[in-house]
Amino acid sequence: MSEQIVPDSEHRGLVARLPQLPRDLAQLARFDRPIGWWLLFWPCVFGVWLTGAGWQLPLLGWLLLGAIAMRGAGCVYNDIVDADLDKKVARTAARPVASGRVSKKVAWAWLLSLCLVGLVVLLQLRIEAQIVALASLALVAAYPFMKRITWWPQGWLGMVFNWGLLVGWTQLRFDNWDALAAIYAGCICWVIGYDTIYALQDREDDALVGIKSSALRMGERYHLGIGLFYIATIGLWGLGIWLYRPDWLAVLALLPVALHLLWQVATLDPTDPANPLERFRSNRWAGALMAAACFVVGNA
């Protein structure tokens, strides 16, 4: 692997100490890369805290478990589907299925096990939230194929990764759909922005193997493109908050997360191999800031 390639997994912490097969399964589910489940979990928090029902810590605990399990299941499914493509990309060639260390049969069994954990979480929800959660399965199943079809697979990922917003909301309320739709749309723009930053790492390999991405579509105008999507993010989140609670002080709760997204764009430098990954990972803090804004708007 080239010294200029940021490794797909850094194999640190508890995962690095596991025997080979458990380590491979943990890496297959990306347990060594928690940023993914943070990004899946935060929209769940947005939906719960915006309802005005308080902290709801037991519910958030279940949703966190579901985010970890289903993000893992999604990664396993993605690696099964993309094994041949991953072999051709330097950053992903060492993944367990692509490298052959884990067979597809074992990977499918691991996927089923993670889905069973998700089922346990699903059964803790009321029927309306269960129906909403199950409605996401078609989007999840189609996602790995989007990079073969459209230059904007990040948009599809945005629909998938923010579904927890709808689940968290419908667990506690079943109204204000205009506000929720605006916030959901803003979340999709957020994902397009941060996943474009992530995709900057793979532009050369993606172009060679025929994978489409927003990073390739934007070309050298990635600062402008990501910036516009982040502006749309804040604009739509602000619209959603205004529709829910027409108060300028409530909208100002978005100022910290807006400044954080501005910092990401202003300091983004793909010529430094570590820079895009650091900016991408910083979205765990963007999610935390948006969650705090939702709590203030919903409960203050």
Side-chain angles (χ1 to χ4, degrees):
M1 183 174 289
S2 166
E3 292 180 357
Q4 295 301 309
I5 297 170
V6 177
D8 185 64
S9 175
E10 297 180 33
H11 312 311
R12 296 184 298 186
L14 178 62
V15 170
R17 300 186 179 97
L18 295 173
Q20 187 65 53
L21 181 58
R23 182 166 71 246
D24 285 337
L25 294 179
Q27 290 171 2
L28 190 57
R30 312 292 198 274
F31 289 159
D32 55 336
R33 297 165 61 196
I35 180 59
W37 54 258
W38 274 118
L39 295 175
L40 193 61
F41 174 62
W42 280 128
C44 302
V45 183
F46 302 168
V48 170
W49 280 356
L50 194 61
T51 64
W55 294 103
Q56 294 290 322
L57 295 182
L59 172 59
L60 292 181
W62 282 113
L63 293 174
L64 176 59
L65 177 61
I68 295 171
M70 297 315 296
R71 184 263 184 153
C75 289
V76 175
Y77 174 66
N78 187 78
D79 281 11
I80 292 171
V81 173
D82 280 352
D84 291 338
L85 287 175
D86 285 344
K87 294 176 185 177
K88 302 174 184 178
V89 177
R91 190 178 56 81
T92 60
R95 285 180 175 175
V97 176
S99 66
R101 296 195 312 274
V102 174
S103 69
K104 288 188 177 181
K105 183 177 180 180
V106 171
W108 278 112
W110 181 221
L111 172 61
L112 178 60
S113 299
L114 292 167
C115 287
L116 289 175
V117 176
L119 177 61
V120 172
V121 175
L122 183 72
L123 294 176
Q124 311 308 310
L125 305 177
R126 70 175 185 171
I127 187 64
E128 293 88 349
Q130 290 178 5
I131 293 171
V132 170
L134 289 172
S136 69
L137 294 180
L139 294 174
V140 174
Y143 169 66
F145 303 98
M146 290 300 108
K147 67 189 71 173
R148 299 164 172 84
I149 298 171
T150 175
W151 288 104
W152 301 96
Q154 283 75 17
W156 197 273
L157 181 67
M159 291 190 287
V160 172
F161 249 57
N162 293 297
W163 205 261
L165 169 74
L166 310 180
V167 175
W169 179 269
T170 53
Q171 175 65 13
L172 298 168
R173 297 182 61 156
F174 216 71
D175 58 355
N176 291 103
W177 294 108
D178 54 348
L180 196 65
I183 292 173
Y184 180 64
C187 288
I188 292 173
C189 292
W190 177 41
V191 172
I192 295 173
Y194 72 60
D195 203 60
T196 300
I197 292 175
Y198 186 77
L200 287 172
Q201 302 172 95
D202 295 330
R203 284 188 297 176
E204 292 184 6
D205 284 333
D206 286 350
L208 287 172
V209 302
I211 296 174
K212 298 179 179 181
S213 77
S214 56
L216 285 173
R217 188 62 173 170
M218 290 180 191
E220 294 306 310
R221 295 179 295 177
Y222 53 85
H223 276 107
L224 175 62
I226 295 168
L228 289 175
F229 275 109
Y230 277 169
I231 289 171
T233 298
I234 298 301
L236 287 164
W237 282 349
L239 173 62
I241 288 173
W242 184 264
L243 291 171
Y244 182 64
R245 181 177 166 183
D247 181 345
W248 285 111
L249 290 177
V251 176
L252 284 176
L254 292 173
L255 183 59
V257 66
L259 291 174
H260 179 85
L261 296 181
L262 175 62
W263 168 81
Q264 286 186 35
V265 177
T267 61
L268 180 61
D269 179 14
T271 63
D272 174 1
N275 179 283
L277 186 59
E278 290 172 353
R279 300 302 176 275
F280 166 73
R281 286 175 172 169
S282 76
N283 280 282
R284 74 184 68 188
W285 302 114
L289 292 170
M290 177 56 180
C294 289
F295 189 86
V296 169
V297 172
N299 297 275

